[in-house]
Amino acid sequence: MKPDRPSLDAALPLVLAAPKDESRIEYLCYRPNFGERAFVDRLKVTSAGGVENCRWTKHPWMKLEDGSPDPRIQVCIIPRRVLDLVWKDGDDVVHPGDTFVADFETSEENMPAGTLLKSGDVVLRVSDVWNDACTKWKARYGVDALNWVRDRPELRLRGLLCEIVSDGELVNGAPISVIERPAQA
């Protein structure tokens, strides 16, 4: 059953009460092809190649002027509390396909563009690209879920897009934490 707007609005305080600095990686996922999801315990990530075996290298939704994949969208992180509102493990509805889930408060105020996140050797930089949800989000989770995300861009309810700064391996269950936020102007 798709969430309705009153339920989503009522859950907003809980979503915004998520941890601000530390979490754990859950549901590591890569997308080998359109509509496909592969859940794994480990994922290799590189600044040059993105998430190993992910379709990003062949079919990115954002490209640079030269046609190559935009590195600002290499990794997607969806907040755990938002995912819990729209998707349940075992549902017939497809998992959104984000690289991983983390119980983070992902607002611009808490994690402005340029914020660095670290897990093991991997360092990710929060992108300036806003994840506004796509038509697939609307089809899977409903128009209320789409509007809920889009009506509050500063809260980044759909999650974070990130660029890989340091190569390494993401591990399911491993800690991830904010290591640096950009200086406020």
Side-chain angles (χ1 to χ4, degrees), residues 80-129:
R80 176 70 206 205
R81 296 171 191 212
V82 171
L83 181 66
D84 287 347
L85 293 170
V86 299
W87 180 82
K88 305 288 183 249
D89 195 5
D91 270 357
D92 291 341
V93 179
V94 175
H95 179 277
D98 295 73
T99 312
F100 63 88
V101 177
D103 190 20
F104 267 139
E105 196 271 279
T106 57
S107 70
E108 286 181 13
E109 182 179 347
N110 187 50
M111 293 191 187
T115 297
L116 298 178
L117 306 171
K118 184 172 176 43
S119 183
D121 292 335
V122 176
V123 176
L124 306 173
R125 180 182 301 117
V126 174
S127 176
D128 61 344
V129 177

mmCIF file of all heavy atoms in Angstrom, residues 80-129:
data_model
loop_
_atom_site.group_PDB
_atom_site.id
_atom_site.type_symbol
_atom_site.label_atom_id
_atom_site.label_comp_id
_atom_site.label_asym_id
_atom_site.label_seq_id
_atom_site.Cartn_x
_atom_site.Cartn_y
_atom_site.Cartn_z
ATOM 1 N N ARG A 80 17.204 5.907 6.077
ATOM 2 C CA ARG A 80 16.483 4.712 6.542
ATOM 3 C C ARG A 80 15.028 5.026 6.903
ATOM 4 O O ARG A 80 14.122 4.272 6.575
ATOM 5 C CB ARG A 80 17.209 4.135 7.768
ATOM 6 C CG ARG A 80 16.509 2.949 8.406
ATOM 7 C CD ARG A 80 16.625 1.782 7.483
ATOM 8 N NE ARG A 80 15.552 0.848 7.687
ATOM 9 C CZ ARG A 80 15.642 -0.434 7.395
ATOM 10 N NH1 ARG A 80 16.755 -0.921 6.926
ATOM 11 N NH2 ARG A 80 14.637 -1.217 7.555
ATOM 12 N N ARG A 81 14.810 6.125 7.582
ATOM 13 C CA ARG A 81 13.468 6.442 8.062
ATOM 14 C C ARG A 81 12.523 6.808 6.911
ATOM 15 O O ARG A 81 11.321 6.583 6.998
ATOM 16 C CB ARG A 81 13.527 7.540 9.116
ATOM 17 C CG ARG A 81 14.296 7.053 10.344
ATOM 18 C CD ARG A 81 14.583 8.136 11.350
ATOM 19 N NE ARG A 81 15.539 7.632 12.330
ATOM 20 C CZ ARG A 81 15.563 7.994 13.588
ATOM 21 N NH1 ARG A 81 14.692 8.878 14.053
ATOM 22 N NH2 ARG A 81 16.472 7.494 14.404
ATOM 23 N N VAL A 82 13.057 7.348 5.838
ATOM 24 C CA VAL A 82 12.239 7.610 4.649
ATOM 25 C C VAL A 82 11.938 6.294 3.940
ATOM 26 O O VAL A 82 10.792 6.029 3.564
ATOM 27 C CB VAL A 82 12.936 8.605 3.697
ATOM 28 C CG1 VAL A 82 12.199 8.703 2.364
ATOM 29 C CG2 VAL A 82 13.057 9.977 4.360
ATOM 30 N N LEU A 83 12.947 5.461 3.773
ATOM 31 C CA LEU A 83 12.723 4.164 3.126
ATOM 32 C C LEU A 83 11.648 3.368 3.859
ATOM 33 O O LEU A 83 10.766 2.772 3.230
ATOM 34 C CB LEU A 83 14.019 3.356 3.066
ATOM 35 C CG LEU A 83 13.910 1.991 2.386
ATOM 36 C CD1 LEU A 83 13.605 2.141 0.896
ATOM 37 C CD2 LEU A 83 15.173 1.179 2.597
ATOM 38 N N ASP A 84 11.696 3.383 5.188
ATOM 39 C CA ASP A 84 10.707 2.641 5.977
ATOM 40 C C ASP A 84 9.282 3.137 5.743
ATOM 41 O O ASP A 84 8.326 2.388 5.942
ATOM 42 C CB ASP A 84 11.029 2.722 7.467
ATOM 43 C CG ASP A 84 12.229 1.871 7.859
ATOM 44 O OD1 ASP A 84 12.658 1.028 7.048
ATOM 45 O OD2 ASP A 84 12.730 2.070 8.978
ATOM 46 N N LEU A 85 9.127 4.373 5.313
ATOM 47 C CA LEU A 85 7.799 4.922 5.047
ATOM 48 C C LEU A 85 7.236 4.486 3.698
ATOM 49 O O LEU A 85 6.024 4.452 3.522
ATOM 50 C CB LEU A 85 7.838 6.455 5.102
ATOM 51 C CG LEU A 85 8.117 7.067 6.463
ATOM 52 C CD1 LEU A 85 8.378 8.566 6.319
ATOM 53 C CD2 LEU A 85 6.967 6.805 7.420
ATOM 54 N N VAL A 86 8.118 4.186 2.757
ATOM 55 C CA VAL A 86 7.640 3.897 1.398
ATOM 56 C C VAL A 86 7.842 2.450 0.951
ATOM 57 O O VAL A 86 7.197 2.001 0.013
ATOM 58 C CB VAL A 86 8.283 4.841 0.354
ATOM 59 C CG1 VAL A 86 7.934 6.290 0.646
ATOM 60 C CG2 VAL A 86 9.786 4.653 0.255
ATOM 61 N N TRP A 87 8.760 1.731 1.588
ATOM 62 C CA TRP A 87 9.112 0.392 1.111
ATOM 63 C C TRP A 87 9.362 -0.539 2.289
ATOM 64 O O TRP A 87 9.985 -0.139 3.270
ATOM 65 C CB TRP A 87 10.368 0.456 0.246
ATOM 66 C CG TRP A 87 10.834 -0.839 -0.305
ATOM 67 C CD1 TRP A 87 10.356 -1.472 -1.420
ATOM 68 C CD2 TRP A 87 11.891 -1.685 0.197
ATOM 69 N NE1 TRP A 87 11.042 -2.638 -1.638
ATOM 70 C CE2 TRP A 87 11.983 -2.806 -0.652
ATOM 71 C CE3 TRP A 87 12.737 -1.600 1.290
ATOM 72 C CZ2 TRP A 87 12.902 -3.817 -0.447
ATOM 73 C CZ3 TRP A 87 13.660 -2.617 1.499
ATOM 74 C CH2 TRP A 87 13.737 -3.706 0.633
ATOM 75 N N LYS A 88 8.914 -1.764 2.164
ATOM 76 C CA LYS A 88 9.170 -2.794 3.173
ATOM 77 C C LYS A 88 9.818 -3.988 2.484
ATOM 78 O O LYS A 88 9.388 -4.400 1.400
ATOM 79 C CB LYS A 88 7.867 -3.258 3.847
ATOM 80 C CG LYS A 88 7.053 -2.142 4.464
ATOM 81 C CD LYS A 88 7.694 -1.600 5.731
ATOM 82 C CE LYS A 88 6.842 -0.548 6.362
ATOM 83 N NZ LYS A 88 7.342 0.787 6.323
ATOM 84 N N ASP A 89 10.842 -4.544 3.110
ATOM 85 C CA ASP A 89 11.495 -5.733 2.565
ATOM 86 C C ASP A 89 10.444 -6.823 2.377
ATOM 87 O O ASP A 89 9.649 -7.090 3.269
ATOM 88 C CB ASP A 89 12.597 -6.205 3.517
ATOM 89 C CG ASP A 89 13.542 -7.182 2.861
ATOM 90 O OD1 ASP A 89 13.419 -7.432 1.652
ATOM 91 O OD2 ASP A 89 14.419 -7.698 3.570
ATOM 92 N N GLY A 90 10.414 -7.417 1.215
ATOM 93 C CA GLY A 90 9.428 -8.450 0.915
ATOM 94 C C GLY A 90 8.232 -7.917 0.138
ATOM 95 O O GLY A 90 7.415 -8.678 -0.345
ATOM 96 N N ASP A 91 8.128 -6.574 0.028
ATOM 97 C CA ASP A 91 7.056 -5.983 -0.772
ATOM 98 C C ASP A 91 7.179 -6.417 -2.225
ATOM 99 O O ASP A 91 8.259 -6.766 -2.695
ATOM 100 C CB ASP A 91 7.167 -4.448 -0.760
ATOM 101 C CG ASP A 91 6.416 -3.795 0.368
ATOM 102 O OD1 ASP A 91 5.748 -4.509 1.136
ATOM 103 O OD2 ASP A 91 6.496 -2.559 0.482
ATOM 104 N N ASP A 92 6.080 -6.345 -2.927
ATOM 105 C CA ASP A 92 6.107 -6.566 -4.368
ATOM 106 C C ASP A 92 6.692 -5.351 -5.092
ATOM 107 O O ASP A 92 7.069 -5.437 -6.247
ATOM 108 C CB ASP A 92 4.684 -6.824 -4.894
ATOM 109 C CG ASP A 92 4.140 -8.162 -4.418
ATOM 110 O OD1 ASP A 92 4.937 -9.023 -4.011
ATOM 111 O OD2 ASP A 92 2.908 -8.336 -4.449
ATOM 112 N N VAL A 93 6.764 -4.228 -4.385
ATOM 113 C CA VAL A 93 7.283 -2.996 -4.960
ATOM 114 C C VAL A 93 8.810 -3.064 -4.983
ATOM 115 O O VAL A 93 9.442 -3.539 -4.046
ATOM 116 C CB VAL A 93 6.819 -1.786 -4.124
ATOM 117 C CG1 VAL A 93 7.360 -0.488 -4.680
ATOM 118 C CG2 VAL A 93 5.304 -1.735 -4.055
ATOM 119 N N VAL A 94 9.388 -2.555 -6.053
ATOM 120 C CA VAL A 94 10.838 -2.596 -6.238
ATOM 121 C C VAL A 94 11.537 -1.650 -5.256
ATOM 122 O O VAL A 94 11.095 -0.526 -5.040
ATOM 123 C CB VAL A 94 11.194 -2.204 -7.692
ATOM 124 C CG1 VAL A 94 12.691 -2.116 -7.902
ATOM 125 C CG2 VAL A 94 10.574 -3.173 -8.671
ATOM 126 N N HIS A 95 12.643 -2.120 -4.671
ATOM 127 C CA HIS A 95 13.523 -1.276 -3.848
ATOM 128 C C HIS A 95 13.979 -0.099 -4.713
ATOM 129 O O HIS A 95 14.219 -0.254 -5.905
ATOM 130 C CB HIS A 95 14.728 -2.125 -3.404
ATOM 131 C CG HIS A 95 15.735 -1.402 -2.580
ATOM 132 N ND1 HIS A 95 16.722 -0.619 -3.138
ATOM 133 C CD2 HIS A 95 15.924 -1.343 -1.251
ATOM 134 C CE1 HIS A 95 17.475 -0.119 -2.177
ATOM 135 N NE2 HIS A 95 17.010 -0.546 -1.027
ATOM 136 N N PRO A 96 14.118 1.097 -4.135
ATOM 137 C CA PRO A 96 14.463 2.252 -4.957
ATOM 138 C C PRO A 96 15.795 2.145 -5.698
ATOM 139 O O PRO A 96 16.009 2.861 -6.668
ATOM 140 C CB PRO A 96 14.480 3.419 -3.972
ATOM 141 C CG PRO A 96 14.349 2.862 -2.630
ATOM 142 C CD PRO A 96 13.897 1.447 -2.738
ATOM 143 N N GLY A 97 16.703 1.284 -5.263
ATOM 144 C CA GLY A 97 17.948 1.095 -6.002
ATOM 145 C C GLY A 97 19.093 1.976 -5.546
ATOM 146 O O GLY A 97 20.132 2.021 -6.193
ATOM 147 N N ASP A 98 18.924 2.675 -4.423
ATOM 148 C CA ASP A 98 20.021 3.484 -3.908
ATOM 149 C C ASP A 98 21.187 2.580 -3.522
ATOM 150 O O ASP A 98 20.995 1.426 -3.146
ATOM 151 C CB ASP A 98 19.552 4.267 -2.685
ATOM 152 C CG ASP A 98 18.482 5.271 -3.047
ATOM 153 O OD1 ASP A 98 17.342 4.844 -3.317
ATOM 154 O OD2 ASP A 98 18.788 6.464 -3.058
ATOM 155 N N THR A 99 22.404 3.116 -3.593
ATOM 156 C CA THR A 99 23.597 2.334 -3.296
ATOM 157 C C THR A 99 23.529 1.743 -1.895
ATOM 158 O O THR A 99 23.897 0.593 -1.695
ATOM 159 C CB THR A 99 24.862 3.201 -3.450
ATOM 160 O OG1 THR A 99 24.795 3.908 -4.699
ATOM 161 C CG2 THR A 99 26.108 2.339 -3.389
ATOM 162 N N PHE A 100 23.054 2.543 -0.948
ATOM 163 C CA PHE A 100 22.826 2.003 0.385
ATOM 164 C C PHE A 100 21.871 2.877 1.174
ATOM 165 O O PHE A 100 21.528 3.992 0.779
ATOM 166 C CB PHE A 100 24.125 1.744 1.159
ATOM 167 C CG PHE A 100 24.974 2.948 1.469
ATOM 168 C CD1 PHE A 100 24.769 3.691 2.626
ATOM 169 C CD2 PHE A 100 26.016 3.300 0.639
ATOM 170 C CE1 PHE A 100 25.574 4.769 2.938
ATOM 171 C CE2 PHE A 100 26.830 4.385 0.934
ATOM 172 C CZ PHE A 100 26.607 5.119 2.087
ATOM 173 N N VAL A 101 21.458 2.331 2.285
ATOM 174 C CA VAL A 101 20.564 2.979 3.228
ATOM 175 C C VAL A 101 21.396 3.333 4.456
ATOM 176 O O VAL A 101 22.278 2.574 4.851
ATOM 177 C CB VAL A 101 19.429 2.002 3.629
ATOM 178 C CG1 VAL A 101 18.514 2.620 4.669
ATOM 179 C CG2 VAL A 101 18.658 1.538 2.411
ATOM 180 N N ALA A 102 21.114 4.495 5.052
ATOM 181 C CA ALA A 102 21.757 4.869 6.311
ATOM 182 C C ALA A 102 20.764 5.695 7.116
ATOM 183 O O ALA A 102 20.012 6.498 6.559
ATOM 184 C CB ALA A 102 23.032 5.669 6.069
ATOM 185 N N ASP A 103 20.748 5.494 8.407
ATOM 186 C CA ASP A 103 19.856 6.240 9.288
ATOM 187 C C ASP A 103 20.507 7.590 9.587
ATOM 188 O O ASP A 103 21.112 7.795 10.638
ATOM 189 C CB ASP A 103 19.579 5.450 10.570
ATOM 190 C CG ASP A 103 18.474 6.078 11.405
ATOM 191 O OD1 ASP A 103 17.670 6.861 10.859
ATOM 192 O OD2 ASP A 103 18.404 5.777 12.614
ATOM 193 N N PHE A 104 20.419 8.491 8.609
ATOM 194 C CA PHE A 104 21.000 9.830 8.677
ATOM 195 C C PHE A 104 19.919 10.884 8.495
ATOM 196 O O PHE A 104 18.943 10.669 7.776
ATOM 197 C CB PHE A 104 21.985 10.051 7.525
ATOM 198 C CG PHE A 104 23.418 9.738 7.811
ATOM 199 C CD1 PHE A 104 24.176 9.086 6.859
ATOM 200 C CD2 PHE A 104 24.033 10.136 8.982
ATOM 201 C CE1 PHE A 104 25.513 8.808 7.069
ATOM 202 C CE2 PHE A 104 25.372 9.862 9.218
ATOM 203 C CZ PHE A 104 26.110 9.203 8.253
ATOM 204 N N GLU A 105 20.138 12.042 9.085
ATOM 205 C CA GLU A 105 19.334 13.226 8.796
ATOM 206 C C GLU A 105 20.065 13.945 7.669
ATOM 207 O O GLU A 105 21.196 14.406 7.838
ATOM 208 C CB GLU A 105 19.226 14.089 10.061
ATOM 209 C CG GLU A 105 18.118 15.131 9.995
ATOM 210 C CD GLU A 105 18.583 16.434 9.398
ATOM 211 O OE1 GLU A 105 19.185 17.231 10.118
ATOM 212 O OE2 GLU A 105 18.332 16.646 8.185
ATOM 213 N N THR A 106 19.475 13.980 6.486
ATOM 214 C CA THR A 106 20.177 14.372 5.273
ATOM 215 C C THR A 106 19.868 15.784 4.773
ATOM 216 O O THR A 106 20.156 16.099 3.629
ATOM 217 C CB THR A 106 19.864 13.360 4.148
ATOM 218 O OG1 THR A 106 18.447 13.313 3.953
ATOM 219 C CG2 THR A 106 20.403 11.979 4.466
ATOM 220 N N SER A 107 19.327 16.634 5.616
ATOM 221 C CA SER A 107 18.973 17.989 5.180
ATOM 222 C C SER A 107 20.211 18.770 4.734
ATOM 223 O O SER A 107 21.346 18.449 5.105
ATOM 224 C CB SER A 107 18.283 18.749 6.312
ATOM 225 O OG SER A 107 19.209 19.051 7.336
ATOM 226 N N GLU A 108 19.967 19.822 3.940
ATOM 227 C CA GLU A 108 21.066 20.702 3.527
ATOM 228 C C GLU A 108 21.733 21.345 4.724
ATOM 229 O O GLU A 108 22.940 21.563 4.723
ATOM 230 C CB GLU A 108 20.543 21.794 2.591
ATOM 231 C CG GLU A 108 20.228 21.302 1.214
ATOM 232 C CD GLU A 108 19.735 22.414 0.297
ATOM 233 O OE1 GLU A 108 19.869 23.607 0.640
ATOM 234 O OE2 GLU A 108 19.209 22.082 -0.757
ATOM 235 N N GLU A 109 20.957 21.654 5.754
ATOM 236 C CA GLU A 109 21.538 22.268 6.944
ATOM 237 C C GLU A 109 22.511 21.314 7.633
ATOM 238 O O GLU A 109 23.588 21.719 8.072
ATOM 239 C CB GLU A 109 20.427 22.666 7.927
ATOM 240 C CG GLU A 109 20.951 23.347 9.166
ATOM 241 C CD GLU A 109 19.848 23.758 10.130
ATOM 242 O OE1 GLU A 109 18.666 23.742 9.754
ATOM 243 O OE2 GLU A 109 20.198 24.082 11.272
ATOM 244 N N ASN A 110 22.151 20.047 7.727
ATOM 245 C CA ASN A 110 23.007 19.074 8.403
ATOM 246 C C ASN A 110 24.146 18.576 7.516
ATOM 247 O O ASN A 110 25.258 18.393 7.991
ATOM 248 C CB ASN A 110 22.191 17.874 8.898
ATOM 249 C CG ASN A 110 23.030 16.947 9.743
ATOM 250 O OD1 ASN A 110 23.716 17.383 10.667
ATOM 251 N ND2 ASN A 110 22.999 15.673 9.420
ATOM 252 N N MET A 111 23.862 18.337 6.254
ATOM 253 C CA MET A 111 24.872 17.809 5.336
ATOM 254 C C MET A 111 24.913 18.633 4.059
ATOM 255 O O MET A 111 24.471 18.190 2.995
ATOM 256 C CB MET A 111 24.591 16.342 5.020
ATOM 257 C CG MET A 111 24.764 15.440 6.199
ATOM 258 S SD MET A 111 24.721 13.721 5.693
ATOM 259 C CE MET A 111 24.726 12.933 7.281
ATOM 260 N N PRO A 112 25.440 19.858 4.153
ATOM 261 C CA PRO A 112 25.500 20.696 2.951
ATOM 262 C C PRO A 112 26.401 20.072 1.887
ATOM 263 O O PRO A 112 27.238 19.213 2.186
ATOM 264 C CB PRO A 112 26.079 22.011 3.468
ATOM 265 C CG PRO A 112 26.764 21.679 4.742
ATOM 266 C CD PRO A 112 26.056 20.495 5.314
ATOM 267 N N ALA A 113 26.213 20.514 0.654
ATOM 268 C CA ALA A 113 27.079 20.050 -0.438
ATOM 269 C C ALA A 113 28.534 20.251 -0.014
ATOM 270 O O ALA A 113 28.888 21.275 0.561
ATOM 271 C CB ALA A 113 26.776 20.823 -1.712
ATOM 272 N N GLY A 114 29.343 19.254 -0.268
ATOM 273 C CA GLY A 114 30.751 19.296 0.112
ATOM 274 C C GLY A 114 31.059 18.539 1.389
ATOM 275 O O GLY A 114 32.228 18.273 1.695
ATOM 276 N N THR A 115 30.024 18.157 2.147
ATOM 277 C CA THR A 115 30.237 17.363 3.360
ATOM 278 C C THR A 115 30.915 16.055 2.980
ATOM 279 O O THR A 115 30.575 15.426 1.983
ATOM 280 C CB THR A 115 28.889 17.077 4.053
ATOM 281 O OG1 THR A 115 28.322 18.325 4.464
ATOM 282 C CG2 THR A 115 29.057 16.172 5.266
ATOM 283 N N LEU A 116 31.896 15.646 3.779
ATOM 284 C CA LEU A 116 32.604 14.393 3.532
ATOM 285 C C LEU A 116 32.119 13.319 4.498
ATOM 286 O O LEU A 116 32.040 13.553 5.707
ATOM 287 C CB LEU A 116 34.113 14.585 3.686
ATOM 288 C CG LEU A 116 34.769 15.563 2.715
ATOM 289 C CD1 LEU A 116 36.262 15.690 3.006
ATOM 290 C CD2 LEU A 116 34.538 15.142 1.260
ATOM 291 N N LEU A 117 31.816 12.153 3.946
ATOM 292 C CA LEU A 117 31.402 10.980 4.708
ATOM 293 C C LEU A 117 32.461 9.905 4.528
ATOM 294 O O LEU A 117 33.021 9.754 3.434
ATOM 295 C CB LEU A 117 30.055 10.457 4.196
ATOM 296 C CG LEU A 117 28.905 11.453 4.131
ATOM 297 C CD1 LEU A 117 27.712 10.847 3.402
ATOM 298 C CD2 LEU A 117 28.509 11.883 5.527
ATOM 299 N N LYS A 118 32.720 9.139 5.593
ATOM 300 C CA LYS A 118 33.764 8.111 5.514
ATOM 301 C C LYS A 118 33.259 6.790 6.081
ATOM 302 O O LYS A 118 32.610 6.749 7.121
ATOM 303 C CB LYS A 118 34.995 8.561 6.299
ATOM 304 C CG LYS A 118 36.187 7.614 6.209
ATOM 305 C CD LYS A 118 37.394 8.252 6.862
ATOM 306 C CE LYS A 118 38.633 7.431 6.949
ATOM 307 N NZ LYS A 118 39.072 6.646 5.883
ATOM 308 N N SER A 119 33.577 5.722 5.353
ATOM 309 C CA SER A 119 33.344 4.360 5.824
ATOM 310 C C SER A 119 34.531 3.526 5.382
ATOM 311 O O SER A 119 34.772 3.373 4.174
ATOM 312 C CB SER A 119 32.042 3.792 5.241
ATOM 313 O OG SER A 119 31.816 2.497 5.762
ATOM 314 N N GLY A 120 35.294 3.021 6.346
ATOM 315 C CA GLY A 120 36.525 2.308 5.987
ATOM 316 C C GLY A 120 37.445 3.252 5.234
ATOM 317 O O GLY A 120 37.687 4.375 5.669
ATOM 318 N N ASP A 121 37.936 2.806 4.073
ATOM 319 C CA ASP A 121 38.804 3.650 3.249
ATOM 320 C C ASP A 121 38.022 4.578 2.323
ATOM 321 O O ASP A 121 38.592 5.487 1.725
ATOM 322 C CB ASP A 121 39.719 2.780 2.377
ATOM 323 C CG ASP A 121 40.739 2.009 3.193
ATOM 324 O OD1 ASP A 121 41.075 2.458 4.312
ATOM 325 O OD2 ASP A 121 41.204 0.948 2.720
ATOM 326 N N VAL A 122 36.734 4.333 2.187
ATOM 327 C CA VAL A 122 35.911 5.094 1.241
ATOM 328 C C VAL A 122 35.552 6.464 1.826
ATOM 329 O O VAL A 122 35.105 6.566 2.961
ATOM 330 C CB VAL A 122 34.610 4.331 0.894
ATOM 331 C CG1 VAL A 122 33.720 5.166 -0.018
ATOM 332 C CG2 VAL A 122 34.930 2.989 0.265
ATOM 333 N N VAL A 123 35.764 7.491 1.009
ATOM 334 C CA VAL A 123 35.316 8.842 1.350
ATOM 335 C C VAL A 123 34.382 9.295 0.235
ATOM 336 O O VAL A 123 34.700 9.174 -0.951
ATOM 337 C CB VAL A 123 36.493 9.833 1.514
ATOM 338 C CG1 VAL A 123 35.978 11.250 1.760
ATOM 339 C CG2 VAL A 123 37.413 9.393 2.643
ATOM 340 N N LEU A 124 33.222 9.803 0.640
ATOM 341 C CA LEU A 124 32.214 10.319 -0.287
ATOM 342 C C LEU A 124 32.006 11.801 -0.023
ATOM 343 O O LEU A 124 32.033 12.234 1.127
ATOM 344 C CB LEU A 124 30.876 9.591 -0.090
ATOM 345 C CG LEU A 124 30.897 8.071 -0.178
ATOM 346 C CD1 LEU A 124 29.527 7.504 0.216
ATOM 347 C CD2 LEU A 124 31.279 7.620 -1.577
ATOM 348 N N ARG A 125 31.793 12.556 -1.089
ATOM 349 C CA ARG A 125 31.488 13.989 -0.964
ATOM 350 C C ARG A 125 30.028 14.199 -1.356
ATOM 351 O O ARG A 125 29.609 13.819 -2.453
ATOM 352 C CB ARG A 125 32.372 14.825 -1.868
ATOM 353 C CG ARG A 125 32.066 16.335 -1.768
ATOM 354 C CD ARG A 125 32.921 17.188 -2.708
ATOM 355 N NE ARG A 125 34.321 17.023 -2.434
ATOM 356 C CZ ARG A 125 35.202 16.511 -3.312
ATOM 357 N NH1 ARG A 125 34.812 16.109 -4.498
ATOM 358 N NH2 ARG A 125 36.467 16.400 -2.994
ATOM 359 N N VAL A 126 29.258 14.797 -0.454
ATOM 360 C CA VAL A 126 27.856 15.097 -0.741
ATOM 361 C C VAL A 126 27.798 16.072 -1.913
ATOM 362 O O VAL A 126 28.465 17.109 -1.919
ATOM 363 C CB VAL A 126 27.141 15.672 0.501
ATOM 364 C CG1 VAL A 126 25.726 16.118 0.152
ATOM 365 C CG2 VAL A 126 27.120 14.645 1.627
ATOM 366 N N SER A 127 26.994 15.726 -2.887
ATOM 367 C CA SER A 127 26.874 16.478 -4.134
ATOM 368 C C SER A 127 25.991 17.714 -3.985
ATOM 369 O O SER A 127 25.144 17.792 -3.096
ATOM 370 C CB SER A 127 26.275 15.553 -5.198
ATOM 371 O OG SER A 127 26.063 16.245 -6.398
ATOM 372 N N ASP A 128 26.167 18.628 -4.907
ATOM 373 C CA ASP A 128 25.271 19.777 -5.008
ATOM 374 C C ASP A 128 24.053 19.456 -5.876
ATOM 375 O O ASP A 128 23.160 20.281 -6.031
ATOM 376 C CB ASP A 128 26.013 20.993 -5.572
ATOM 377 C CG ASP A 128 26.568 20.747 -6.970
ATOM 378 O OD1 ASP A 128 26.663 19.577 -7.413
ATOM 379 O OD2 ASP A 128 26.923 21.738 -7.643
ATOM 380 N N VAL A 129 23.997 18.245 -6.411
ATOM 381 C CA VAL A 129 22.851 17.817 -7.221
ATOM 382 C C VAL A 129 21.760 17.316 -6.277
ATOM 383 O O VAL A 129 22.015 16.475 -5.417
ATOM 384 C CB VAL A 129 23.249 16.703 -8.221
ATOM 385 C CG1 VAL A 129 22.034 16.221 -8.999
ATOM 386 C CG2 VAL A 129 24.336 17.194 -9.160
#
